[in-house]
Amino acid sequence: MSKEWSALTRRRGETADRKILSLFDDADRAEAFSVRLGDMLFDYSKTNIDAGTRDALIALVEASDVAGKRDAMFSGAPINDTEGRAVLHTALRNLDGGPVTVAGADVMPGVLDTLERMRAFAEDVREGLYTDVVNIGIGGSDLGPAMAVQALSPYHDGPRCHFVSNVDGAHISDTLRGLDAKTTLVIVASKTFTTIETMTNARTAKAWMVENGGDPANQFAALSTADDKTADFGIPAERVFGFEDWVGGRYSMWGPIGLSLMIAIGAKAFDAFLRGGQEMDRHFRAADWRENMPVMLALTGVWHNQVCGHATRAVLPYDQRLGQLPDYLQQLEMESNGKGVTMDGTPLEVPSGPVVWGAAGTNGQHAFYQLIHQGTRVVPCEFMVAAEGHETDLAHHHQLLVANCLAQSEALMRGRAVEVAREMMQMKGYEGEELERQARHRVFPGNRPSTTLAYPKLDPFTLGQIVALYEHRVFVEGVILGINSFDQWGVELGKELATSLQPLVEGKEPPDGKDGSTAALVEFILRNRA
Ligand code: F6P
Protein backbone atom coordinates (compact mmCIF):
# COMPACT_ATOMS: atom_id res chain seq x y z
CA MET A 1 0.00 0.00 0.00
CA SER A 2 1.49 3.37 -1.04
CA LYS A 3 2.14 6.10 1.50
CA GLU A 4 -0.74 8.15 0.02
CA TRP A 5 -3.26 5.34 0.65
CA SER A 6 -1.84 4.76 4.12
CA ALA A 7 -2.18 8.47 4.93
CA LEU A 8 -5.84 8.33 3.91
CA THR A 9 -6.49 5.22 6.00
CA ARG A 10 -4.98 7.05 8.97
CA ARG A 11 -7.17 10.09 8.38
CA ARG A 12 -10.22 7.89 8.20
CA GLY A 13 -9.30 6.39 11.57
CA GLU A 14 -8.79 9.81 13.11
CA THR A 15 -12.04 11.32 11.82
CA ALA A 16 -14.52 8.43 11.63
CA ASP A 17 -16.40 9.42 14.80
CA ARG A 18 -16.54 13.11 14.04
CA LYS A 19 -19.93 14.66 13.26
CA ILE A 20 -20.15 16.11 9.76
CA LEU A 21 -22.45 18.77 11.21
CA SER A 22 -19.66 19.98 13.51
CA LEU A 23 -17.60 20.90 10.44
CA PHE A 24 -20.10 23.68 9.79
CA ASP A 25 -18.78 25.53 12.86
CA ASP A 26 -16.56 26.94 10.14
CA ALA A 27 -18.91 29.48 8.56
CA ASP A 28 -17.05 29.23 5.24
CA ARG A 29 -17.34 25.45 4.92
CA ALA A 30 -20.09 25.38 2.29
CA GLU A 31 -18.11 27.68 0.01
CA ALA A 32 -14.73 26.10 0.71
CA PHE A 33 -15.98 22.57 0.02
CA SER A 34 -17.83 23.34 -3.21
CA VAL A 35 -16.73 23.65 -6.81
CA ARG A 36 -18.32 25.94 -9.37
CA LEU A 37 -18.26 25.80 -13.12
CA GLY A 38 -20.22 28.67 -14.62
CA ASP A 39 -23.72 28.30 -13.21
CA MET A 40 -23.18 24.76 -11.96
CA LEU A 41 -22.39 24.01 -8.33
CA PHE A 42 -20.98 20.79 -6.86
CA ASP A 43 -21.31 20.85 -3.07
CA TYR A 44 -19.40 18.18 -1.13
CA SER A 45 -19.48 20.01 2.20
CA LYS A 46 -21.92 17.47 3.71
CA THR A 47 -19.18 14.81 3.76
CA ASN A 48 -16.56 14.13 6.39
CA ILE A 49 -13.83 15.48 4.10
CA ASP A 50 -11.89 18.29 5.79
CA ALA A 51 -8.97 20.35 4.53
CA GLY A 52 -6.40 17.76 5.64
CA THR A 53 -8.28 14.87 4.03
CA ARG A 54 -8.69 16.85 0.85
CA ASP A 55 -4.93 17.47 0.77
CA ALA A 56 -4.34 13.75 1.30
CA LEU A 57 -6.75 12.91 -1.55
CA ILE A 58 -5.07 15.43 -3.82
CA ALA A 59 -1.71 13.85 -2.96
CA LEU A 60 -3.18 10.62 -4.37
CA VAL A 61 -4.13 12.46 -7.58
CA GLU A 62 -0.55 13.70 -7.90
CA ALA A 63 1.00 10.34 -7.08
CA SER A 64 -1.25 8.61 -9.62
CA ASP A 65 -0.22 11.07 -12.33
CA VAL A 66 -3.81 11.97 -13.19
CA ALA A 67 -2.53 15.01 -15.13
CA GLY A 68 -0.19 12.96 -17.29
CA LYS A 69 -2.79 10.29 -17.98
CA ARG A 70 -5.50 12.86 -18.68
CA ASP A 71 -3.22 14.58 -21.20
CA ALA A 72 -2.37 11.20 -22.74
CA MET A 73 -6.09 10.47 -23.19
CA PHE A 74 -6.82 13.82 -24.84
CA SER A 75 -3.75 13.51 -27.07
CA GLY A 76 -4.90 10.19 -28.58
CA ALA A 77 -2.35 7.87 -26.91
CA PRO A 78 -3.47 4.19 -26.83
CA ILE A 79 -4.35 4.25 -23.11
CA ASN A 80 -6.82 1.35 -23.48
CA ASP A 81 -3.85 -0.96 -23.57
CA THR A 82 -5.57 -4.35 -23.35
CA GLU A 83 -7.21 -3.54 -26.68
CA GLY A 84 -4.46 -1.27 -28.06
CA ARG A 85 -6.86 1.62 -28.57
CA ALA A 86 -6.93 5.35 -28.03
CA VAL A 87 -9.79 6.80 -25.95
CA LEU A 88 -11.14 9.81 -27.75
CA HIS A 89 -14.86 10.24 -27.21
CA THR A 90 -13.84 13.82 -26.35
CA ALA A 91 -13.02 14.34 -30.05
CA LEU A 92 -16.72 13.85 -30.87
CA ARG A 93 -17.57 17.05 -28.97
CA ASN A 94 -14.45 18.97 -29.93
CA LEU A 95 -16.52 21.32 -32.10
CA ASP A 96 -13.97 24.09 -32.40
CA GLY A 97 -11.01 22.76 -30.51
CA GLY A 98 -8.45 22.15 -33.25
CA PRO A 99 -6.77 18.94 -34.41
CA VAL A 100 -6.75 15.66 -32.48
CA THR A 101 -4.32 13.04 -33.71
CA VAL A 102 -4.33 9.26 -33.51
CA ALA A 103 -1.14 7.59 -34.78
CA GLY A 104 -0.13 10.89 -36.40
CA ALA A 105 -3.39 11.50 -38.31
CA ASP A 106 -5.90 14.23 -37.42
CA VAL A 107 -9.27 12.59 -36.73
CA MET A 108 -11.27 15.83 -36.63
CA PRO A 109 -12.06 16.12 -40.38
CA GLY A 110 -13.70 12.66 -40.24
CA VAL A 111 -15.58 13.46 -37.02
CA LEU A 112 -16.92 16.75 -38.37
CA ASP A 113 -17.83 15.22 -41.71
CA THR A 114 -19.89 12.47 -40.02
CA LEU A 115 -21.52 15.07 -37.77
CA GLU A 116 -22.50 17.08 -40.83
CA ARG A 117 -24.00 13.94 -42.47
CA MET A 118 -25.91 13.19 -39.27
CA ARG A 119 -27.30 16.75 -39.23
CA ALA A 120 -28.51 16.49 -42.83
CA PHE A 121 -30.04 13.05 -42.24
CA ALA A 122 -31.69 14.12 -38.97
CA GLU A 123 -33.23 17.16 -40.64
CA ASP A 124 -34.56 14.98 -43.48
CA VAL A 125 -36.11 12.56 -40.99
CA ARG A 126 -37.62 15.41 -38.95
CA GLU A 127 -39.10 17.06 -42.02
CA GLY A 128 -40.14 13.83 -43.75
CA LEU A 129 -43.01 11.46 -43.27
CA TYR A 130 -41.61 9.58 -40.31
CA THR A 131 -43.84 9.44 -37.26
CA ASP A 132 -41.63 7.11 -35.19
CA VAL A 133 -37.99 6.20 -34.76
CA VAL A 134 -36.99 2.87 -33.18
CA ASN A 135 -33.42 2.68 -31.92
CA ILE A 136 -32.30 -0.93 -31.60
CA GLY A 137 -29.15 -1.27 -29.49
CA ILE A 138 -28.03 -2.37 -26.05
CA GLY A 139 -25.65 -1.15 -23.34
CA GLY A 140 -23.78 1.89 -24.58
CA SER A 141 -25.74 1.82 -27.84
CA ASP A 142 -28.99 2.30 -25.93
CA LEU A 143 -28.63 3.71 -22.42
CA GLY A 144 -27.12 7.09 -23.36
CA PRO A 145 -29.57 8.15 -26.08
CA ALA A 146 -32.54 6.66 -24.19
CA MET A 147 -31.59 8.59 -21.05
CA ALA A 148 -30.98 11.81 -22.98
CA VAL A 149 -34.20 11.68 -25.04
CA GLN A 150 -36.15 11.48 -21.79
CA ALA A 151 -34.00 14.12 -20.10
CA LEU A 152 -34.55 16.60 -22.91
CA SER A 153 -38.21 15.95 -23.60
CA PRO A 154 -39.08 19.69 -23.39
CA TYR A 155 -36.90 20.13 -26.50
CA HIS A 156 -38.32 17.10 -28.33
CA ASP A 157 -40.00 18.36 -31.49
CA GLY A 158 -39.10 15.52 -33.88
CA PRO A 159 -40.78 12.14 -34.40
CA ARG A 160 -41.51 9.90 -31.41
CA CYS A 161 -38.48 7.85 -30.29
CA HIS A 162 -38.54 4.30 -28.94
CA PHE A 163 -35.70 2.19 -27.62
CA VAL A 164 -35.48 -1.58 -27.93
CA SER A 165 -32.62 -3.34 -26.18
CA ASN A 166 -33.62 -6.60 -24.52
CA VAL A 167 -33.48 -9.83 -26.51
CA ASP A 168 -36.70 -10.79 -24.71
CA GLY A 169 -39.22 -10.76 -27.56
CA ALA A 170 -41.56 -8.86 -25.27
CA HIS A 171 -39.49 -5.72 -25.76
CA ILE A 172 -39.60 -5.48 -29.54
CA SER A 173 -43.10 -6.86 -29.71
CA ASP A 174 -44.51 -4.30 -27.26
CA THR A 175 -42.62 -1.52 -29.03
CA LEU A 176 -43.64 -2.31 -32.60
CA ARG A 177 -47.26 -2.99 -31.74
CA GLY A 178 -49.24 0.03 -32.84
CA LEU A 179 -46.46 1.53 -35.00
CA ASP A 180 -46.97 2.09 -38.71
CA ALA A 181 -44.25 0.17 -40.62
CA LYS A 182 -44.53 2.64 -43.50
CA THR A 183 -43.68 5.68 -41.37
CA THR A 184 -41.16 4.16 -38.95
CA LEU A 185 -37.40 4.57 -39.17
CA VAL A 186 -35.36 1.77 -37.59
CA ILE A 187 -31.87 2.65 -36.40
CA VAL A 188 -29.62 -0.32 -35.69
CA ALA A 189 -27.05 0.96 -33.20
CA SER A 190 -24.15 -1.37 -32.57
CA LYS A 191 -20.48 -0.55 -32.46
CA THR A 192 -19.53 -4.10 -33.41
CA PHE A 193 -22.69 -5.04 -35.34
CA THR A 194 -22.34 -8.53 -33.85
CA THR A 195 -24.14 -8.15 -30.50
CA ILE A 196 -26.61 -11.02 -30.41
CA GLU A 197 -29.45 -9.08 -28.77
CA THR A 198 -29.23 -6.20 -31.23
CA MET A 199 -28.86 -8.35 -34.33
CA THR A 200 -31.76 -10.60 -33.29
CA ASN A 201 -34.00 -7.57 -32.69
CA ALA A 202 -32.84 -5.95 -35.94
CA ARG A 203 -33.79 -9.06 -37.97
CA THR A 204 -37.17 -9.20 -36.25
CA ALA A 205 -37.78 -5.52 -37.02
CA LYS A 206 -36.81 -6.06 -40.65
CA ALA A 207 -39.26 -8.96 -41.01
CA TRP A 208 -42.00 -6.85 -39.34
CA MET A 209 -41.36 -4.01 -41.75
CA VAL A 210 -41.51 -6.25 -44.82
CA GLU A 211 -44.70 -7.94 -43.58
CA ASN A 212 -46.36 -4.61 -42.94
CA GLY A 213 -45.63 -2.84 -46.18
CA GLY A 214 -42.50 -0.88 -45.19
CA ASP A 215 -39.24 -0.78 -47.12
CA PRO A 216 -36.19 -1.76 -45.05
CA ALA A 217 -33.78 -0.64 -47.80
CA ASN A 218 -35.01 2.92 -47.29
CA GLN A 219 -36.20 2.84 -43.70
CA PHE A 220 -33.21 1.35 -41.88
CA ALA A 221 -30.10 3.21 -40.77
CA ALA A 222 -27.00 1.85 -39.01
CA LEU A 223 -24.59 3.29 -36.47
CA SER A 224 -21.46 1.21 -36.31
CA THR A 225 -17.72 0.83 -36.73
CA ALA A 226 -18.24 -2.24 -38.96
CA ASP A 227 -19.04 -1.07 -42.55
CA ASP A 228 -18.79 -4.57 -44.00
CA LYS A 229 -21.38 -5.95 -41.58
CA THR A 230 -23.86 -3.10 -42.08
CA ALA A 231 -23.60 -3.68 -45.84
CA ASP A 232 -24.18 -7.42 -45.37
CA PHE A 233 -27.33 -6.56 -43.41
CA GLY A 234 -28.56 -4.60 -46.42
CA ILE A 235 -28.24 -1.04 -45.17
CA PRO A 236 -27.04 1.30 -47.94
CA ALA A 237 -23.83 3.23 -47.24
CA GLU A 238 -25.59 6.63 -47.26
CA ARG A 239 -27.59 5.51 -44.22
CA VAL A 240 -24.59 4.23 -42.29
CA PHE A 241 -22.95 6.56 -39.78
CA GLY A 242 -19.57 5.24 -38.82
CA PHE A 243 -17.19 5.85 -35.97
CA GLU A 244 -13.80 4.55 -34.95
CA ASP A 245 -12.71 2.02 -32.37
CA TRP A 246 -11.37 4.82 -30.16
CA VAL A 247 -14.94 5.57 -29.11
CA GLY A 248 -15.91 3.17 -26.32
CA GLY A 249 -19.51 1.90 -26.36
CA ARG A 250 -20.48 3.50 -23.04
CA TYR A 251 -18.84 6.79 -24.08
CA SER A 252 -20.43 6.92 -27.52
CA MET A 253 -23.60 9.01 -27.26
CA TRP A 254 -21.75 12.11 -28.49
CA GLY A 255 -21.40 10.77 -32.03
CA PRO A 256 -23.49 8.59 -34.36
CA ILE A 257 -24.92 6.61 -31.42
CA GLY A 258 -26.63 9.89 -30.48
CA LEU A 259 -28.51 10.03 -33.81
CA SER A 260 -31.91 9.28 -32.25
CA LEU A 261 -31.35 12.15 -29.80
CA MET A 262 -30.43 14.48 -32.65
CA ILE A 263 -33.57 13.45 -34.54
CA ALA A 264 -35.64 14.08 -31.42
CA ILE A 265 -34.32 17.53 -30.47
CA GLY A 266 -32.78 18.79 -33.72
CA ALA A 267 -29.20 19.49 -34.73
CA LYS A 268 -29.01 22.86 -32.99
CA ALA A 269 -29.99 21.50 -29.58
CA PHE A 270 -27.68 18.50 -30.14
CA ASP A 271 -24.84 20.98 -30.77
CA ALA A 272 -25.63 22.62 -27.42
CA PHE A 273 -25.36 19.17 -25.78
CA LEU A 274 -21.93 18.71 -27.41
CA ARG A 275 -20.85 22.17 -26.30
CA GLY A 276 -21.80 21.38 -22.72
CA GLY A 277 -19.53 18.33 -22.87
CA GLN A 278 -16.76 20.34 -24.46
CA GLU A 279 -16.98 22.97 -21.74
CA MET A 280 -16.52 20.25 -19.12
CA ASP A 281 -13.50 18.93 -21.05
CA ARG A 282 -11.89 22.35 -21.04
CA HIS A 283 -12.53 22.74 -17.33
CA PHE A 284 -11.19 19.25 -16.56
CA ARG A 285 -7.99 19.99 -18.49
CA ALA A 286 -7.36 23.44 -17.04
CA ALA A 287 -8.70 23.80 -13.50
CA ASP A 288 -6.54 23.28 -10.40
CA TRP A 289 -7.40 20.08 -8.59
CA ARG A 290 -9.34 21.80 -5.79
CA GLU A 291 -11.42 23.73 -8.31
CA ASN A 292 -11.76 20.82 -10.70
CA MET A 293 -15.30 19.41 -10.60
CA PRO A 294 -14.67 15.93 -12.08
CA VAL A 295 -11.59 15.52 -9.88
CA MET A 296 -13.37 16.53 -6.67
CA LEU A 297 -16.38 14.36 -7.57
CA ALA A 298 -13.97 11.45 -8.12
CA LEU A 299 -12.21 12.12 -4.83
CA THR A 300 -15.44 12.05 -2.83
CA GLY A 301 -16.06 8.68 -4.53
CA VAL A 302 -12.60 7.36 -3.62
CA TRP A 303 -12.97 8.61 -0.05
CA HIS A 304 -16.34 6.97 0.46
CA ASN A 305 -15.70 3.73 -1.40
CA GLN A 306 -12.05 2.77 -1.17
CA VAL A 307 -11.16 4.57 2.07
CA CYS A 308 -14.34 4.47 4.18
CA GLY A 309 -15.45 1.12 2.73
CA HIS A 310 -18.97 2.12 1.66
CA ALA A 311 -19.58 -0.38 -1.13
CA THR A 312 -22.41 1.37 -2.97
CA ARG A 313 -23.38 4.87 -3.94
CA ALA A 314 -26.84 6.14 -4.77
CA VAL A 315 -27.43 8.60 -7.60
CA LEU A 316 -30.55 10.57 -6.72
CA PRO A 317 -31.61 13.14 -9.30
CA TYR A 318 -34.50 15.29 -8.09
CA ASP A 319 -35.42 15.63 -11.70
CA GLN A 320 -37.99 13.21 -13.07
CA ARG A 321 -36.53 13.51 -16.56
CA LEU A 322 -33.19 12.20 -15.27
CA GLY A 323 -34.95 9.02 -14.17
CA GLN A 324 -32.77 6.91 -16.46
CA LEU A 325 -29.52 8.57 -15.41
CA PRO A 326 -28.82 6.02 -12.62
CA ASP A 327 -29.10 3.19 -15.21
CA TYR A 328 -26.85 5.04 -17.61
CA LEU A 329 -24.27 5.72 -14.87
CA GLN A 330 -24.48 2.12 -13.75
CA GLN A 331 -22.98 1.00 -17.05
CA LEU A 332 -20.60 3.95 -17.30
CA GLU A 333 -19.17 3.43 -13.84
CA MET A 334 -19.52 -0.31 -13.24
CA GLU A 335 -18.39 -1.50 -16.66
CA SER A 336 -15.50 0.97 -16.55
CA ASN A 337 -14.24 0.55 -13.00
CA GLY A 338 -15.52 -2.89 -11.99
CA LYS A 339 -12.08 -4.45 -12.53
CA GLY A 340 -10.06 -6.78 -10.33
CA VAL A 341 -6.56 -6.18 -11.64
CA THR A 342 -4.42 -3.13 -12.32
CA MET A 343 -2.98 -2.24 -15.74
CA ASP A 344 -0.03 -4.59 -15.20
CA GLY A 345 -2.29 -7.52 -14.31
CA THR A 346 -1.68 -7.57 -10.56
CA PRO A 347 -4.67 -7.81 -8.18
CA LEU A 348 -6.11 -4.54 -6.88
CA GLU A 349 -5.09 -3.77 -3.29
CA VAL A 350 -8.19 -1.66 -2.65
CA PRO A 351 -11.83 -2.35 -3.57
CA SER A 352 -12.77 -1.78 -7.22
CA GLY A 353 -15.40 0.80 -8.21
CA PRO A 354 -18.65 0.81 -6.22
CA VAL A 355 -22.10 -0.54 -6.95
CA VAL A 356 -23.99 2.38 -8.50
CA TRP A 357 -27.74 2.54 -8.20
CA GLY A 358 -30.53 5.02 -7.62
CA ALA A 359 -33.76 6.54 -8.85
CA ALA A 360 -35.37 9.91 -9.31
CA GLY A 361 -36.56 11.79 -6.26
CA THR A 362 -39.04 12.10 -4.75
CA ASN A 363 -40.13 8.56 -5.79
CA GLY A 364 -37.13 6.91 -4.15
CA GLN A 365 -38.13 8.48 -0.83
CA HIS A 366 -41.17 6.22 -0.81
CA ALA A 367 -39.20 3.11 -1.72
CA PHE A 368 -35.62 2.71 -0.45
CA TYR A 369 -34.77 5.81 1.60
CA GLN A 370 -35.80 3.94 4.75
CA LEU A 371 -32.59 1.90 4.45
CA ILE A 372 -30.52 4.94 3.58
CA HIS A 373 -31.66 6.71 6.76
CA GLN A 374 -31.88 3.90 9.31
CA GLY A 375 -30.26 0.80 7.77
CA THR A 376 -26.96 -0.38 9.20
CA ARG A 377 -25.05 0.23 5.96
CA VAL A 378 -23.94 3.72 5.01
CA VAL A 379 -24.89 4.68 1.44
CA PRO A 380 -23.22 7.88 0.24
CA CYS A 381 -25.85 9.78 -1.73
CA GLU A 382 -25.30 11.97 -4.77
CA PHE A 383 -28.22 14.38 -5.10
CA MET A 384 -28.92 16.47 -8.19
CA VAL A 385 -31.36 19.30 -8.57
CA ALA A 386 -32.24 22.16 -10.92
CA ALA A 387 -32.98 25.66 -9.64
CA GLU A 388 -35.86 25.84 -12.06
CA GLY A 389 -38.16 23.38 -13.80
CA HIS A 390 -39.54 23.67 -17.31
CA GLU A 391 -43.13 23.77 -16.07
CA THR A 392 -43.25 27.45 -15.14
CA ASP A 393 -47.00 27.19 -14.57
CA LEU A 394 -46.26 24.54 -11.93
CA ALA A 395 -43.55 26.37 -10.00
CA HIS A 396 -45.01 25.19 -6.70
CA HIS A 397 -44.30 21.57 -7.75
CA HIS A 398 -40.69 22.48 -8.33
CA GLN A 399 -40.39 24.25 -5.01
CA LEU A 400 -41.69 21.15 -3.25
CA LEU A 401 -39.23 19.02 -5.22
CA VAL A 402 -36.27 21.22 -4.22
CA ALA A 403 -37.39 21.36 -0.59
CA ASN A 404 -37.51 17.56 -0.52
CA CYS A 405 -34.05 17.25 -2.05
CA LEU A 406 -32.48 19.63 0.46
CA ALA A 407 -34.43 18.05 3.32
CA GLN A 408 -32.99 14.62 2.54
CA SER A 409 -29.35 15.68 2.59
CA GLU A 410 -29.95 17.67 5.78
CA ALA A 411 -31.75 14.75 7.44
CA LEU A 412 -28.99 12.32 6.46
CA MET A 413 -26.41 14.59 8.05
CA ARG A 414 -28.31 15.68 11.19
CA GLY A 415 -30.15 12.50 12.09
CA ARG A 416 -32.30 12.44 15.22
CA ALA A 417 -30.85 11.67 18.64
CA VAL A 418 -32.56 9.28 21.04
CA GLU A 419 -33.20 12.15 23.49
CA VAL A 420 -35.19 14.01 20.85
CA ALA A 421 -37.10 10.85 19.95
CA ARG A 422 -37.91 10.27 23.65
CA GLU A 423 -39.22 13.80 24.01
CA MET A 424 -41.41 13.33 20.93
CA MET A 425 -42.92 10.15 22.31
CA GLN A 426 -43.41 11.62 25.75
CA MET A 427 -45.47 14.41 24.18
CA LYS A 428 -47.59 11.69 22.59
CA GLY A 429 -48.28 10.25 26.06
CA TYR A 430 -45.92 7.25 26.10
CA GLU A 431 -44.06 6.34 29.28
CA GLY A 432 -41.77 3.75 30.82
CA GLU A 433 -40.49 0.83 28.75
CA GLU A 434 -42.94 1.45 25.93
CA LEU A 435 -41.71 5.03 25.64
CA GLU A 436 -38.13 3.76 25.34
CA ARG A 437 -39.08 1.07 22.81
CA GLN A 438 -41.06 3.47 20.64
CA ALA A 439 -38.32 6.10 20.84
CA ARG A 440 -35.63 3.68 19.63
CA HIS A 441 -37.54 3.12 16.38
CA ARG A 442 -37.53 6.86 15.74
CA VAL A 443 -33.80 7.42 16.07
CA PHE A 444 -31.85 8.41 12.95
CA PRO A 445 -28.10 7.82 13.28
CA GLY A 446 -27.33 10.74 10.97
CA ASN A 447 -23.76 11.64 10.01
CA ARG A 448 -24.40 10.09 6.60
CA PRO A 449 -22.51 11.76 3.76
CA SER A 450 -24.00 13.23 0.61
CA THR A 451 -23.08 15.56 -2.21
CA THR A 452 -25.36 17.82 -4.25
CA LEU A 453 -24.96 18.89 -7.87
CA ALA A 454 -27.11 21.96 -8.54
CA TYR A 455 -27.67 23.58 -11.93
CA PRO A 456 -30.02 26.27 -13.25
CA LYS A 457 -32.20 24.16 -15.56
CA LEU A 458 -31.94 20.81 -17.35
CA ASP A 459 -31.25 21.99 -20.90
CA PRO A 460 -29.10 20.34 -23.61
CA PHE A 461 -25.95 22.24 -22.61
CA THR A 462 -26.35 21.29 -18.95
CA LEU A 463 -27.00 17.64 -19.78
CA GLY A 464 -23.78 17.65 -21.84
CA GLN A 465 -21.90 19.05 -18.84
CA ILE A 466 -23.38 16.43 -16.50
CA VAL A 467 -22.57 13.46 -18.75
CA ALA A 468 -18.99 14.65 -19.37
CA LEU A 469 -18.59 15.38 -15.65
CA TYR A 470 -19.38 11.77 -14.82
CA GLU A 471 -17.21 10.42 -17.65
CA HIS A 472 -14.19 12.28 -16.31
CA ARG A 473 -15.03 11.28 -12.75
CA VAL A 474 -14.88 7.64 -13.84
CA PHE A 475 -11.58 8.31 -15.61
CA VAL A 476 -9.98 9.91 -12.53
CA GLU A 477 -11.19 7.11 -10.23
CA GLY A 478 -9.84 4.54 -12.71
CA VAL A 479 -6.43 6.23 -12.87
CA ILE A 480 -6.25 6.35 -9.07
CA LEU A 481 -7.06 2.63 -8.92
CA GLY A 482 -4.48 1.99 -11.66
CA ILE A 483 -6.96 0.05 -13.78
CA ASN A 484 -8.04 0.12 -17.43
CA SER A 485 -11.44 1.87 -17.39
CA PHE A 486 -11.96 1.32 -21.10
CA ASP A 487 -12.15 -2.43 -21.62
CA GLN A 488 -14.87 -4.83 -20.44
CA TRP A 489 -13.51 -8.37 -20.47
CA GLY A 490 -15.85 -9.27 -17.62
CA VAL A 491 -18.83 -9.43 -19.97
CA GLU A 492 -17.28 -12.10 -22.22
CA LEU A 493 -17.65 -15.33 -20.24
CA GLY A 494 -21.43 -15.04 -19.91
CA LYS A 495 -21.71 -14.36 -23.65
CA GLU A 496 -19.61 -17.45 -24.49
CA LEU A 497 -21.65 -19.68 -22.21
CA ALA A 498 -24.94 -18.32 -23.61
CA THR A 499 -23.79 -19.37 -27.08
CA SER A 500 -22.93 -22.87 -25.87
CA LEU A 501 -26.23 -23.15 -23.96
CA GLN A 502 -28.42 -22.21 -26.90
CA PRO A 503 -28.54 -25.72 -28.49
CA LEU A 504 -29.31 -27.18 -25.06
CA VAL A 505 -32.19 -24.78 -24.50
CA GLU A 506 -33.44 -25.56 -28.01
CA GLY A 507 -33.46 -29.24 -27.02
CA LYS A 508 -30.95 -30.12 -29.76
CA GLU A 509 -28.18 -31.30 -27.45
CA PRO A 510 -28.24 -32.99 -24.03
CA PRO A 511 -26.93 -30.98 -21.07
CA ASP A 512 -23.94 -33.33 -20.68
CA GLY A 513 -20.96 -31.85 -18.90
CA LYS A 514 -23.05 -29.10 -17.29
CA ASP A 515 -23.21 -28.73 -13.53
CA GLY A 516 -26.21 -30.30 -11.81
CA SER A 517 -28.04 -27.01 -11.31
CA THR A 518 -27.70 -25.85 -14.92
CA ALA A 519 -28.67 -29.30 -16.26
CA ALA A 520 -31.74 -29.43 -13.99
CA LEU A 521 -32.81 -25.93 -15.03
CA VAL A 522 -32.49 -26.84 -18.74
CA GLU A 523 -34.53 -29.95 -18.11
CA PHE A 524 -37.21 -28.02 -16.20
CA ILE A 525 -37.52 -25.46 -19.03
CA LEU A 526 -37.79 -28.15 -21.70
CA ARG A 527 -40.38 -30.09 -19.72
CA ASN A 528 -42.52 -27.02 -19.06
CA ARG A 529 -42.43 -25.57 -22.54
CA ALA A 530 -45.77 -25.78 -24.34
O1 F6P B 1 -22.04 -5.54 -22.70
C1 F6P B 1 -20.87 -5.41 -23.41
C2 F6P B 1 -20.93 -4.39 -24.49
O2 F6P B 1 -19.83 -4.61 -25.30
C3 F6P B 1 -20.96 -2.95 -23.99
O3 F6P B 1 -19.71 -2.49 -23.63
C4 F6P B 1 -21.54 -2.26 -25.18
O4 F6P B 1 -21.98 -0.97 -24.86
C5 F6P B 1 -22.64 -3.22 -25.54
O5 F6P B 1 -22.10 -4.50 -25.29
C6 F6P B 1 -23.16 -3.11 -26.94
O6 F6P B 1 -22.16 -3.33 -27.89
P1 F6P B 1 -22.38 -2.96 -29.40
O7 F6P B 1 -22.56 -1.49 -29.51
O8 F6P B 1 -21.15 -3.44 -30.11
O9 F6P B 1 -23.60 -3.70 -29.89
Side-chain angles (χ1 to χ4, degrees), residues 203-247:
R203 282 190 290 271
T204 301
K206 199 173 182 181
W208 165 82
M209 193 172 273
V210 171
E211 268 166 39
N212 292 281
D215 176 10
N218 284 309
Q219 290 173 241
F220 264 62
L223 320 173
S224 183
T225 57
D227 294 353
D228 49 338
K229 296 194 175 72
T230 56
D232 289 349
F233 191 84
I235 301 178
E238 67 272 17
R239 290 171 167 272
V240 176
F241 300 89
F243 53 105
E244 303 293 328
D245 67 3
W246 37 259
V247 180

Side-chain angles (χ1 to χ4, degrees), residues 153-154 319-321 388-398 457:
S153 70
D319 204 319
Q320 176 63 18
R321 295 191 176 106
E388 196 186 5
H390 285 274
E391 290 64 35
T392 43
D393 53 329
L394 298 174
H396 61 296
H397 281 248
H398 196 76
K457 193 175 190 171

Side-chain angles (χ1 to χ4, degrees), residues 132-441:
D132 296 89
V133 174
V134 178
N135 185 87
I136 297 179
I138 196 164
S141 300
D142 165 74
L143 291 163
M147 177 276 291
V149 166
Q150 185 187 357
L152 299 178
S153 70
Y155 303 86
H156 193 149
D157 54 4
R160 288 181 292 261
C161 287
H162 313 267
F163 293 86
V164 175
S165 50
N166 202 324
V167 75
D168 185 341
H171 202 178
I172 190 135
S173 163
D174 286 355
T175 306
L176 296 182
R177 188 179 314 123
L179 298 192
D180 182 346
K182 298 191 193 78
T183 61
T184 295
L185 171 74
V186 175
I187 298 177
V188 186
S190 176
K191 180 176 168 180
T192 55
F193 232 70
T194 57
T195 305
I196 190 82
E197 293 94 331
T198 301
M199 299 324 296
T200 304
N201 280 322
R203 282 190 290 271
T204 301
K206 199 173 182 181
W208 165 82
M209 193 172 273
V210 171
E211 268 166 39
N212 292 281
D215 176 10
N218 284 309
Q219 290 173 241
F220 264 62
L223 320 173
S224 183
T225 57
D227 294 353
D228 49 338
K229 296 194 175 72
T230 56
D232 289 349
F233 191 84
I235 301 178
E238 67 272 17
R239 290 171 167 272
V240 176
F241 300 89
F243 53 105
E244 303 293 328
D245 67 3
W246 37 259
V247 180
R250 54 194 174 272
Y251 297 87
S252 62
M253 63 184 294
W254 309 95
I257 295 294
L259 183 63
S260 51
L261 175 64
M262 189 192 265
I263 292 172
I265 63 174
K268 210 163 145 224
F270 190 82
D271 264 21
F273 169 70
L274 297 183
R275 286 190 191 282
Q278 189 181 23
E279 159 127 333
M280 191 56 73
D281 293 343
R282 288 186 171 138
H283 166 79
F284 177 47
R285 296 179 82 172
D288 291 344
W289 300 138
R290 264 176 68 160
E291 305 305 325
N292 198 310
M293 205 179 276
V295 171
M296 292 316 301
L297 179 60
L299 292 180
T300 60
V302 169
W303 173 250
H304 290 142
N305 181 26
Q306 281 81 17
V307 185
C308 300
H310 307 317
T312 87
R313 65 171 158 244
V315 179
L316 306 169
Y318 275 66
D319 204 319
Q320 176 63 18
R321 295 191 176 106
L322 286 180
Q324 294 185 55
L325 187 72
D327 291 355
Y328 168 76
L329 291 180
Q330 220 166 46
Q331 186 201 16
L332 182 68
E333 303 206 17
M334 294 172 73
E335 200 164 82
S336 297
N337 288 346
K339 311 285 164 65
V341 295
T342 59
M343 287 289 221
D344 62 14
T346 54
L348 271 182
E349 287 184 1
V350 291
S352 62
V355 175
V356 177
W357 60 287
T362 59
N363 288 14
Q365 290 176 203
H366 301 272
F368 52 78
Y369 277 44
Q370 166 64 41
L371 182 147
I372 290 182
H373 283 288
Q374 286 189 317
T376 54
R377 292 182 178 85
V378 174
V379 180
C381 293
E382 301 191 345
F383 294 100
M384 293 182 182
V385 70
E388 196 186 5
H390 285 274
E391 290 64 35
T392 43
D393 53 329
L394 298 174
H396 61 296
H397 281 248
H398 196 76
Q399 283 150 16
L400 261 174
L401 182 75
V402 175
N404 270 277
C405 179
L406 303 187
Q408 291 301 327
S409 62
E410 189 182 348
L412 284 166
M413 175 171 68
R414 280 185 190 278
R416 182 195 283 147
V418 69
E419 296 76 22
V420 179
R422 267 191 212 118
E423 222 170 277
M424 274 170 52
M425 300 321 286
Q426 232 161 6
M427 307 253 285
K428 289 192 187 250
Y430 286 93
E431 40 188 47
E433 276 180 21
E434 186 57 7
L435 168 96
E436 191 58 24
R437 193 180 75 81
Q438 290 286 353
R440 296 271 160 194
H441 287 272

